[in-house]
Amino acid sequence: MDFALSEEHRMVQQMVREFAQKEVAPVIKEFDRKQEMAPFVLPRMAELGILGICLPVSYGGQGMDYIALGLACEELEAVDTTLRVVMSVHMGLNSLALFQWATEDQKQRFLLPQARGEKIACFGLTESGAGSDAAAIRSTARRAGDEYVLNGEKMWISLATKADHILWIGRSDPQAPDPHDGLSAFLVELDRPGVGRGDIHGKLGVRAGSTGWISFQDVRVPADHLIGEPGEGFKIAMSCLDNGRYTVAAGATGLIRACLEASTKYSHERQAFGRDIARFQLVQQKIAHMVQSYDAARLFYQRAGWMKNQGLRNTRETSIAKWFATDASFAAASEAIQIHGAYGYSDEYDVERYLRNAKGAVIYEGTSEIHQLIQAGYALGYRQDAPLRCELPAYEIQKWQQEDFH
Ligand SMILES: Cc1cc2nc3c(=O)[nH]c(=O)nc-3n(C[C@H](O)[C@H](O)[C@H](O)COP(=O)(O)OP(=O)(O)OC[C@H]3O[C@@H](n4cnc5c(N)ncnc54)[C@H](O)[C@@H]3O)c2cc1C
């Protein structure tokens, strides 16, 4: 067993930390208040190669491994959740799905510009009546000659108004006896006629990001925009979540770290009863819990990242990493506010933003309740992972860093 990070991992960590801490942290409060994404964020992440971090060089990526993706997410969310959300949808839920399921031709056309950050990608599974129960999707995909005609409305879509591409899941076979088998996945360019979209305002958190709706009214796409085979949409969506949840877990780990750093700093500065509040054992207990949950969350996500590198199925390990880290980050943010007392209750300090942001991650990419069902299902023998037709490729450094992957 080797828990050490490589020299390249440390370089990624340093590069992403500098971007997040030096370029975004100084302006994040302003954009959170305005409920807008800072306009430089996506172009700068593209320029730094973050948007293609764990994809082979031949597909426009940086040729790094899945641990590097986790480390980047940890650094991004240590500043603001909206930065990590970019990686969750652009990389975790979309680009890695293309890497796993798309044909070579589709990879050249869609994945390559995404990895270079020339096109921004999002993921459309949720609808107003279909959240945890994804098989209840009502959007439709009807075959018409060489095309598909897509209709329906997706809700709560991260980067809805920023993305160029969506990985969109709709019902292609309404007659399928099992509704899970009637779904298909499509890569759709969002400048096609019939696409409408907008942002949701008044969210509790992730305010410096875009979360919105995307509607399709008779949107026509060539049949070669189908990803995978007809009827494989549910399996593809679940495999996307194995990667998206990994980024959420790693990001929430960064949020716990941010809570810990803010809390230790403040407890050394604030005095009560003639001494630093850091001296009070009840304050120390809260700090100790943050230390414990940071270490555990980090081990959980890095185990899942290691399994991805080895090409091992990691649905269970990724689920437990996501469930633990997001619950723990919400608890850490709440305790961080408590340590800051009344000051933590205002936006003078970052901890109130951490709490608002942490709540979302307990809901998206599988609510904590859904992850409990998944874990109990494995333990009780109700749930097993069937092999997939296309597995996420294992990391092979030489292959990933050479110009020609094939
Ligand atoms: C900020 C944000 C960003 C998002 N980004 C995206 C995105 O980019 N793409 C996308 O497709 N979706 C996105 N979502 C949607 C998200 O994935 C869903 O909100 C999530 O899957 C939960 O669905 P729901 O909100 O419909 O809740 P519901 O499924 O209606 O659940 C409501 C409550 O019932 C509980 N519940 C449901 N079923 C069970 C059960 N079987 N047992 C026990 N309890 C249960 C849930 O745990 C929850 O507490 C985003 C959501 C948010 C908040």
Side-chain angles (χ1 to χ4, degrees), residues 19 36 44 54 131 149 173 250 284 297 339 377:
F19 159 67
E36 279 173 24
R44 188 75 178 122
C54 61
V149 183
D173 181 4
Q284 291 181 6
I339 288 174

PDB file of all heavy atoms in Angstrom, residues 19 36 44 54 131 149 173 250 284 297 339 377:
ATOM      1  N   PHE A  19      -4.541  28.946  -8.305  1.00  0.00           N
ATOM      2  CA  PHE A  19      -5.649  29.524  -9.079  1.00  0.00           C
ATOM      3  C   PHE A  19      -6.811  29.873  -8.144  1.00  0.00           C
ATOM      4  O   PHE A  19      -7.319  30.996  -8.144  1.00  0.00           O
ATOM      5  CB  PHE A  19      -6.098  28.533 -10.162  1.00  0.00           C
ATOM      6  CG  PHE A  19      -7.503  28.784 -10.666  1.00  0.00           C
ATOM      7  CD1 PHE A  19      -7.801  29.927 -11.393  1.00  0.00           C
ATOM      8  CD2 PHE A  19      -8.527  27.874 -10.392  1.00  0.00           C
ATOM      9  CE1 PHE A  19      -9.091  30.173 -11.837  1.00  0.00           C
ATOM     10  CE2 PHE A  19      -9.820  28.114 -10.841  1.00  0.00           C
ATOM     11  CZ  PHE A  19     -10.108  29.266 -11.559  1.00  0.00           C
ATOM     12  N   GLU A  36     -23.916  35.326  -9.429  1.00  0.00           N
ATOM     13  CA  GLU A  36     -23.401  35.172 -10.794  1.00  0.00           C
ATOM     14  C   GLU A  36     -22.082  34.432 -10.745  1.00  0.00           C
ATOM     15  O   GLU A  36     -21.346  34.540  -9.773  1.00  0.00           O
ATOM     16  CB  GLU A  36     -23.075  36.545 -11.407  1.00  0.00           C
ATOM     17  CG  GLU A  36     -24.230  37.291 -11.950  1.00  0.00           C
ATOM     18  CD  GLU A  36     -23.806  38.703 -12.364  1.00  0.00           C
ATOM     19  OE1 GLU A  36     -22.616  38.922 -12.639  1.00  0.00           O
ATOM     20  OE2 GLU A  36     -24.698  39.570 -12.368  1.00  0.00           O
ATOM     21  N   ARG A  44     -10.348  30.550 -17.621  1.00  0.00           N
ATOM     22  CA  ARG A  44      -9.078  30.353 -16.907  1.00  0.00           C
ATOM     23  C   ARG A  44      -8.861  28.871 -16.565  1.00  0.00           C
ATOM     24  O   ARG A  44      -7.743  28.372 -16.664  1.00  0.00           O
ATOM     25  CB  ARG A  44      -9.103  31.214 -15.639  1.00  0.00           C
ATOM     26  CG  ARG A  44      -7.811  31.268 -14.917  1.00  0.00           C
ATOM     27  CD  ARG A  44      -6.763  32.142 -15.596  1.00  0.00           C
ATOM     28  NE  ARG A  44      -5.566  32.162 -14.777  1.00  0.00           N
ATOM     29  CZ  ARG A  44      -4.359  31.774 -15.188  1.00  0.00           C
ATOM     30  NH1 ARG A  44      -4.172  31.401 -16.438  1.00  0.00           N
ATOM     31  NH2 ARG A  44      -3.352  31.797 -14.362  1.00  0.00           N
ATOM     32  N   CYS A  54      -7.793  14.764 -16.321  1.00  0.00           N
ATOM     33  CA  CYS A  54      -7.551  13.318 -16.246  1.00  0.00           C
ATOM     34  C   CYS A  54      -7.993  12.631 -17.532  1.00  0.00           C
ATOM     35  O   CYS A  54      -8.603  11.564 -17.495  1.00  0.00           O
ATOM     36  CB  CYS A  54      -8.241  12.719 -15.022  1.00  0.00           C
ATOM     37  SG  CYS A  54     -10.004  12.946 -15.075  1.00  0.00           S
ATOM     38  N   GLY A 131     -36.244  12.783  -9.827  1.00  0.00           N
ATOM     39  CA  GLY A 131     -34.970  13.109  -9.176  1.00  0.00           C
ATOM     40  C   GLY A 131     -34.291  11.830  -8.750  1.00  0.00           C
ATOM     41  O   GLY A 131     -33.646  11.159  -9.564  1.00  0.00           O
ATOM     42  N   VAL A 149     -35.731  13.032 -32.530  1.00  0.00           N
ATOM     43  CA  VAL A 149     -36.420  14.266 -32.157  1.00  0.00           C
ATOM     44  C   VAL A 149     -36.602  14.235 -30.642  1.00  0.00           C
ATOM     45  O   VAL A 149     -37.214  13.305 -30.100  1.00  0.00           O
ATOM     46  CB  VAL A 149     -37.788  14.378 -32.867  1.00  0.00           C
ATOM     47  CG1 VAL A 149     -38.453  15.706 -32.529  1.00  0.00           C
ATOM     48  CG2 VAL A 149     -37.623  14.223 -34.370  1.00  0.00           C
ATOM     49  N   ASP A 173     -37.849   4.385 -25.684  1.00  0.00           N
ATOM     50  CA  ASP A 173     -38.764   3.245 -25.879  1.00  0.00           C
ATOM     51  C   ASP A 173     -39.823   3.251 -24.772  1.00  0.00           C
ATOM     52  O   ASP A 173     -39.637   2.636 -23.713  1.00  0.00           O
ATOM     53  CB  ASP A 173     -37.969   1.934 -25.857  1.00  0.00           C
ATOM     54  CG  ASP A 173     -38.875   0.723 -26.071  1.00  0.00           C
ATOM     55  OD1 ASP A 173     -40.101   0.927 -26.310  1.00  0.00           O
ATOM     56  OD2 ASP A 173     -38.375  -0.416 -25.990  1.00  0.00           O
ATOM     57  N   ALA A 250     -14.498  14.337  -3.203  1.00  0.00           N
ATOM     58  CA  ALA A 250     -13.200  15.012  -3.068  1.00  0.00           C
ATOM     59  C   ALA A 250     -13.403  16.492  -2.747  1.00  0.00           C
ATOM     60  O   ALA A 250     -12.689  17.074  -1.915  1.00  0.00           O
ATOM     61  CB  ALA A 250     -12.396  14.842  -4.356  1.00  0.00           C
ATOM     62  N   GLN A 284     -12.164  22.757  21.223  1.00  0.00           N
ATOM     63  CA  GLN A 284     -11.202  21.773  20.728  1.00  0.00           C
ATOM     64  C   GLN A 284     -11.906  20.508  20.215  1.00  0.00           C
ATOM     65  O   GLN A 284     -11.486  19.892  19.236  1.00  0.00           O
ATOM     66  CB  GLN A 284     -10.208  21.390  21.832  1.00  0.00           C
ATOM     67  CG  GLN A 284      -9.273  22.532  22.191  1.00  0.00           C
ATOM     68  CD  GLN A 284      -8.279  22.142  23.277  1.00  0.00           C
ATOM     69  OE1 GLN A 284      -8.208  20.996  23.703  1.00  0.00           O
ATOM     70  NE2 GLN A 284      -7.507  23.126  23.742  1.00  0.00           N
ATOM     71  N   ALA A 297     -12.485  11.414   5.142  1.00  0.00           N
ATOM     72  CA  ALA A 297     -13.036  11.753   3.822  1.00  0.00           C
ATOM     73  C   ALA A 297     -11.952  11.646   2.751  1.00  0.00           C
ATOM     74  O   ALA A 297     -12.188  11.164   1.640  1.00  0.00           O
ATOM     75  CB  ALA A 297     -13.619  13.165   3.842  1.00  0.00           C
ATOM     76  N   ILE A 339     -18.246  28.024  16.168  1.00  0.00           N
ATOM     77  CA  ILE A 339     -16.972  28.515  16.707  1.00  0.00           C
ATOM     78  C   ILE A 339     -16.831  30.024  16.461  1.00  0.00           C
ATOM     79  O   ILE A 339     -16.269  30.753  17.278  1.00  0.00           O
ATOM     80  CB  ILE A 339     -15.779  27.726  16.093  1.00  0.00           C
ATOM     81  CG1 ILE A 339     -15.762  26.313  16.684  1.00  0.00           C
ATOM     82  CG2 ILE A 339     -14.446  28.430  16.322  1.00  0.00           C
ATOM     83  CD1 ILE A 339     -14.740  25.368  16.072  1.00  0.00           C
ATOM     84  N   GLY A 377     -27.966  -2.073   0.760  1.00  0.00           N
ATOM     85  CA  GLY A 377     -28.232  -3.049  -0.299  1.00  0.00           C
ATOM     86  C   GLY A 377     -27.048  -3.973  -0.537  1.00  0.00           C
ATOM     87  O   GLY A 377     -27.209  -5.190  -0.680  1.00  0.00           O
TER      88      GLY A 377
END
